[in-house]
Amino acid sequence: LGPDEWWKGAVVYQIYPRSFKDSNGDGFGDLEGIRSKLDYLKSLGVDVLWLSPIYASPQADNGYDIADYYDIDPMFGTLSDFDRLLEGVHERGMRLVMDLVVNHSSDENPWFVESRSSRENPKRDWYIWRDPRPGFVGGEAGAEPTNWGSFFSGSAWAWDEATGQYYLHLFHRKQPDLNWENPQVRAAVYEMMNWWLDRGVDGFRMDVINLISKEPGLPDGVVYPGRAWGEGFPHFSEGPHLHEYLAEMRREVFDGRAGTMTVGECPGVRRDNVLLFTDPARRELDMVFQFDHVDLGLEAGKFHPRPLRPGELADCLSAWQEAQGEVGWNSLYLDNHDQPRAVSRFGDESRRYESATALATALHMLRGTPYVYQGEELGMTNSVFGGIDDYRDVEALRYYREAVESGESPESVLKGLAFTGRDNARTPVQWDASENAGFTEGTPWIGVTPNYRDINAASQVGDPSSVYAYYRALADIRHGLPVIAAGSFERIETPSPAIFAYRRTLGEAVATILVNLSSQPASLGEAVRGVSGDLLLANRDLPEEDRGIPESLGEWEARVYLA
Ligand code: ISL
């Protein structure tokens, strides 16, 4: 791996700061809390920490609404706390990546405060302002400039009485979209990014970066049956200037800075054009988060999931391996702060250790950079929420209100939220069996998941048969074996759709990965007959005589061989 490709051999760990570790008893996690856990992260084998937003923010969307890009929110600490944290990260040979949220800012950001102050303000054009639809009076139903719905329910337009125009907000109304067509906006963003890099950060995870260029004219979207709003997505995703802006950002911010990394969050990005982002020759991004595998089964909407078919997840991940090929590079993840917990969604909570480790094996041995979301390394599960009052996420609260108003029963809405609601992944990290799972001495901002007495870091760190120990073994393999960090990928077909089997090859080295992603035993058939190799890792104790290549795999069994 060249010096500019260090991230190909790295394991990234995502921290959602408000739920990670509270140091001062206010019920919210903070930077000092993170600093107190750096040794824990180092011994897990983590190379990079990505922090979800810690900037000053009114927290309408838990920090994805930034009021001051140059300061830390007091709930998390101060800039000197940040510098101390960064120093601690670097001292341990790890790196730190910030979340970059620049598709939109907070409405309390001074940029927007100025922009909304009058139509003549020099920053008016920094955001996306439009007149009411002709023939309508501003503020009345139907007057919105386009029929686009927001990701968080309702229209994507908010009426500003004082200046008589609407502004666009693809997310919450407190998250107005920046106008990237204005060169001053782009320059201000690059300046801010350079400021953080000069301070020592090692890169950025870029929030919904594929939404920054909107189609000129902002056309109405198709209104699908049963939907209140039009589908604006095709008109604001991967717009005409996106790649020009990404290349410009690369030049203005990253050129000449060795040792950085970038990962773009790109909902809706497709296999057939992902190389536009990740082909290194185009000099745009190092890698992106695609959504195909986390969107499986959500055809009827995020909160009406269907069960996955055997093999669906493996087929999807394989297709992405092939799409990136030897040119691009994958980000490998199963969950994050927007998704249900991996073991609850793709695994089986009643076989928690086996399914968490099988999923992790299937993912971490692929070609790409693996991401571990806080608590995933402990096999943390989805939470248990009583009523809507237990939820905190603006998406859940707004969706609940809208769905119930339109006639869905509260029980049915709660059932959907219980499975795919974002708060499932946002409950406090379970550090130990003491009150509040050792997360806080105060009252946590969101309820701790009741299973923390069984599932927690204190009981797993010293236990060689824990999910934590298994994640660490996976990281060791990636660090120690160039074939896993850099080898090619080839799927091995078996007669059992539930089996995910593949080969990684680099020169003479061949790694064979065999995983059963189901709760039933499954046969490997002829597929691996004659394959040789030493057993490197397995998620169950195998007597010496059973360590050769097997003919079948038990439920959620995973094995890695090296020849
Ligand atoms: O979870 C979703 C809503 O159903 C996703 O569509 C999510 O909004 C999308 O993945 C973008 O996510 C990112 O930007 C959002 C923020 O709320 C998410 O937390 C963030 O990861 C707006 O900044």
Side-chain angles (χ1 to χ4, degrees), residues 61 104 171 205 207-208 265 291 302 337-338 395 422:
D61 186 18
H104 44 267
F171 294 89
R205 173 269 187 188
D207 195 64
V208 290
E265 189 210 25
F291 278 63
K302 175 169 177 175
H337 65 293
D338 293 332
E395 177 187 58
R422 306 196 295 183

Side-chain angles (χ1 to χ4, degrees), residues 30-360:
D30 47 44
L31 299 184
E32 273 300 295
I34 298 173
R35 204 166 68 90
S36 72
K37 296 295 181 185
L38 290 179
D39 289 328
Y40 168 89
L41 296 166
K42 180 68 187 172
S43 31
L44 180 59
V46 164
D47 304 289
V48 182
L49 305 182
W50 147 32
L51 305 190
S52 275
I54 52 173
Y55 313 86
S57 161
Q59 305 288 328
D61 186 18
N62 291 0
Y64 283 90
D65 48 319
I66 298 173
D68 185 349
Y69 288 101
Y70 292 90
D71 206 356
I72 304 293
D73 196 279
M75 74 188 267
F76 296 125
T78 62
L79 273 172
S80 13
D81 294 334
F82 177 78
D83 290 339
R84 212 168 318 128
L85 170 64
L86 188 57
E87 202 183 306
V89 170
H90 287 160
E91 267 169 17
R92 288 168 180 79
M94 299 188 287
R95 308 199 206 213
L96 189 143
V97 162
M98 294 286 272
D99 216 307
L100 179 80
V101 188
V102 289
N103 173 71
H104 44 267
S105 71
S106 164
D107 65 338
E108 297 180 32
N109 191 299
W111 295 348
F112 187 76
V113 173
E114 278 193 51
S115 182
R116 86 181 315 169
S117 66
S118 84
R119 290 201 194 197
E120 286 72 43
N121 186 278
K123 289 203 171 56
R124 182 65 169 182
D125 184 50
W126 280 40
Y127 292 83
I128 300 174
W129 292 97
R130 291 290 182 278
D131 291 331
R133 198 179 283 266
F136 285 84
V137 176
E140 74 176 349
E144 297 85 8
T146 76
N147 66 0
W148 301 354
S150 118
F151 283 99
F152 296 155
S153 308
S155 168
W157 295 95
W159 173 243
D160 181 54
E161 187 69 50
T163 59
Q165 283 191 311
Y166 284 90
Y167 65 86
L168 178 68
H169 61 91
L170 296 181
F171 294 89
H172 194 268
R173 60 183 298 133
K174 287 184 68 63
Q175 294 169 295
D177 281 53
L178 281 156
N179 177 17
W180 274 70
E181 286 182 25
N182 184 324
Q184 291 174 2
V185 168
R186 305 204 299 277
V189 168
Y190 306 151
E191 186 181 318
M192 177 270 289
M193 293 172 76
N194 276 309
W195 187 84
W196 283 102
L197 289 165
D198 289 343
R199 210 174 181 98
V201 311
D202 301 291
F204 294 96
R205 173 269 187 188
M206 303 176 183
D207 195 64
V208 290
I209 201 69
N210 61 328
L211 309 188
I212 57 177
S213 168
K214 278 78 174 168
E215 186 178 329
L218 310 183
D220 275 336
V222 177
V223 186
Y224 290 103
R227 301 272 193 85
W229 301 97
E231 184 57 73
F233 196 83
H235 306 300
F236 56 70
S237 166
E238 297 179 44
H241 299 291
L242 173 63
H243 293 287
E244 174 193 322
Y245 298 157
L246 291 177
E248 178 183 75
M249 178 192 283
R250 179 79 175 223
R251 286 194 306 276
E252 299 293 323
V253 179
F254 297 100
D255 274 1
R257 289 189 191 267
T260 55
M261 69 163 258
T262 59
V263 49
E265 189 210 25
C266 295
V269 67
R270 299 189 322 267
R271 278 181 280 139
D272 62 14
N273 70 358
V274 70
L275 291 178
L276 293 176
F277 297 83
T278 59
D279 177 352
R282 291 173 49 85
R283 306 202 52 73
E284 293 192 10
L285 299 175
D286 294 329
M287 52 190 144
V288 300
F289 290 121
Q290 58 85 16
F291 278 63
D292 281 356
H293 65 304
V294 293
D295 286 344
L296 289 171
L298 305 184
E299 297 84 356
K302 175 169 177 175
F303 299 113
H304 293 98
R306 63 158 170 84
L308 298 191
R309 294 182 288 270
E312 235 182 329
L313 176 63
D315 289 350
C316 183
L317 294 173
S318 299
W320 275 88
Q321 291 285 298
E322 278 146 24
Q324 301 273 20
E326 308 279 297
V327 177
W329 192 255
N330 272 294
S331 304
L332 309 169
Y333 75 102
L334 292 171
D335 59 11
N336 60 38
H337 65 293
D338 293 332
Q339 300 292 333
R341 286 285 181 180
V343 68
S344 305
R345 183 193 214 161
F346 297 116
D348 178 348
E349 285 187 17
S350 70
R351 306 202 59 103
R352 205 176 51 84
Y353 172 82
E354 290 81 359
S355 65
T357 52
L359 286 162

